[in-house]
Amino acid sequence: MPEYPRPSRVAIVGTGLVGATFAYALMITGMVSEIVLIDANRERARGEAMDLNHGLPFVRPVRVWDCDYPECAEADVIVIAAGAAQRPGQTRLDLVQRNVAILREVVTQVARYASQERSILLIVSNPVDILAYAAWKFSGWPAERVIGSGTVLDTARFRHLLGQYFQVDPRSVHAYIIGEHGDSEVPLWSSANIGGIPLTEFESWDRAAMDEIFAQTRDAAYAIIQAKGATYYAIGLALVRIVEAILHDQHSVLSVSTLMRGDYGLRDVYLSLPAVVGRRGVERVLDLPLIQEEVVGLHRSAGVLRETMAQVGII
Ligand code: NAD
């Protein structure tokens, strides 16, 4: 019995720091049989493919090569990490104009070759919610098959900090960041728990400490970019987790960015909420019992995104 029923292929468009780190993390998992690398700078994609190939004697078999868009035809997931990265002091929304133009070019090429029956588009370039919405529009694919990595990373940062504070494994912390992947994101304190116990029940719970944890979560990218120029390890692993949920049809609850279709009174905007993710993409958005403050925060986030989308003419 072969290990894989048919080759599973992940295509990565944009093999800069995020794309290459994701490729490396994915290769180590042994989860896929083919990783194809596409970049406007072909030389860069070729160099990454060579470097990754030299690691093959140490991992389970996987084919890795640089190529062009026709190779997306056989891809199960196409991850788009192409674009300009955030510079020190620059917000994610500042990047929008430049990255929408790049995204239009990339998605037009991808949609020429890839099949919307087979592939899932996973957008990671920033501002991710706006670019995921734009990718949905530019591709013409069903919204459930066009996903943004959203606040999966922010949720991981939040869980790490809460785990550290309450001295538990971050995987045992159940807490989400929702809304925009960016400055207007919202912490879901009302449902945050450890082993089913609300955080407020813990003796060490402290309002000021929780506020500080959220501030550190929200501002983490700025701190890392200030310190080392870019973020890529944790997002690489977050992408592996999303791709795993898709390829293995895991129906995992992940705070990906997805089209709002009346959820919490929101429409025609992409933002993150805990959603069930499987082989068909986003299967459904969970209906969480949000408190008023969280709903207001979510609407504020949607407002920020829609305003920017209007400024660049996407809506
Ligand atoms: P990078 O500059 O290292 O890499 C970007 C790559 O995109 C480069 O290799 C470049 O050649 C390529 N590229 C540019 N235009 C292209 C085009 N038209 N077609 C194909 N390839 C093209 O940047 P990075 O650090 O890898 O970041 C990539 C993106 O990911 C940025 O937008 C960044 O803000 C975003 N990011 C998102 C998250 C998240 O949580 N969503 C986290 C980190 C970074």
Side-chain angles (χ1 to χ4, degrees):
M1 180 96 163
E3 197 165 345
Y4 301 104
R6 63 169 168 78
S8 48
R9 177 181 297 183
V10 170
I12 304 172
V13 184
T15 59
L17 291 167
V18 170
T21 307
F22 164 57
Y24 178 63
L26 186 65
M27 175 175 142
I28 292 170
T29 65
M31 196 162 50
V32 297
S33 41
E34 298 176 345
I35 301 173
V36 301
L37 306 176
I38 299 169
D39 199 288
N41 178 352
R42 182 69 182 256
E43 198 61 23
R44 182 163 191 174
R46 186 170 302 133
E48 295 296 356
M50 283 175 71
D51 200 0
L52 290 166
N53 271 303
H54 299 162
L56 288 184
F58 309 112
V59 295
R60 285 160 65 187
V62 52
R63 293 180 61 221
V64 184
W65 70 99
D66 62 289
C67 62
D68 215 331
Y69 288 98
E71 304 273 355
C72 288
E74 305 292 315
D76 298 285
V77 183
I78 299 157
V79 175
I80 300 182
Q86 213 171 342
R87 301 205 180 87
Q90 188 182 38
T91 71
R92 290 186 184 93
L93 295 179
D94 291 336
L95 283 176
V96 68
Q97 205 98 39
R98 192 149 167 230
N99 281 348
V100 165
I102 292 174
L103 185 91
R104 185 191 288 274
E105 187 188 315
V106 169
V107 170
T108 305
Q109 287 294 327
V110 167
R112 255 180 87 188
Y113 299 104
S115 136
Q116 58 174 283
E117 280 77 42
R118 173 169 176 163
S119 301
I120 301 288
L121 265 183
L122 176 55
I123 315 301
V124 58
S125 312
N126 276 321
V128 67
D129 304 288
I130 291 173
L131 295 191
Y133 180 93
W136 167 57
K137 286 281 179 184
F138 297 155
S139 66
W141 287 17
E144 60 271 21
R145 303 185 81 87
V146 183
I147 307 174
S149 62
T151 57
V152 174
L153 174 60
D154 315 67
T155 292
R157 288 171 172 155
F158 195 41
R159 290 177 181 190
H160 158 68
L161 291 168
L162 287 170
Q164 202 174 43
Y165 181 85
F166 289 104
Q167 297 185 356
V168 295
D169 181 344
R171 294 172 302 177
S172 301
V173 177
H174 306 285
Y176 288 98
I177 298 288
I178 62 166
E180 179 200 3
H181 167 62
D183 299 343
S184 73
E185 66 190 30
V186 181
L188 285 191
W189 291 118
S190 69
S191 53
N193 73 84
I194 292 168
I197 304 168
L199 299 186
T200 44
E201 303 278 309
F202 286 82
E203 215 173 291
S204 52
W205 184 89
D206 173 71
R207 181 74 270 164
M210 297 302 106
D211 289 346
E212 178 56 26
I213 282 176
F214 171 60
Q216 281 184 31
T217 300
R218 186 195 53 212
D219 301 338
Y222 295 114
I224 298 169
I225 289 167
Q226 195 68 45
K228 64 170 212 166
T231 75
Y232 38 91
Y233 294 122
I235 185 62
L237 289 168
L239 293 170
V240 167
R241 180 68 192 92
I242 301 169
V243 167
E244 180 190 30
I246 294 168
L247 292 180
H248 294 287
D249 199 21
Q250 288 176 335
H251 315 290
S252 303
V253 175
L254 297 167
S255 54
V256 290
S257 186
T258 189
L259 182 68
M260 295 294 102
R261 310 176 203 228
D263 311 81
Y264 306 94
L266 295 167
R267 279 187 192 284
D268 205 35
V269 63
Y270 262 65
L271 44 74
S272 293
L273 280 166
V276 180
V277 179
R279 188 61 190 86
R280 288 177 294 115
V282 172
E283 293 167 7
R284 64 183 195 277
V285 172
L286 295 189
D287 192 14
L288 293 168
L290 301 187
I291 58 170
Q292 180 66 13
E293 191 185 324
E294 293 164 347
V295 175
V296 169
L298 193 60
H299 278 256
R300 190 180 308 124
S301 229
V304 168
L305 291 167
R306 290 182 66 83
E307 197 181 307
T308 310
M309 290 200 293
Q311 279 165 10
V312 293
I314 299 176
I315 51 166

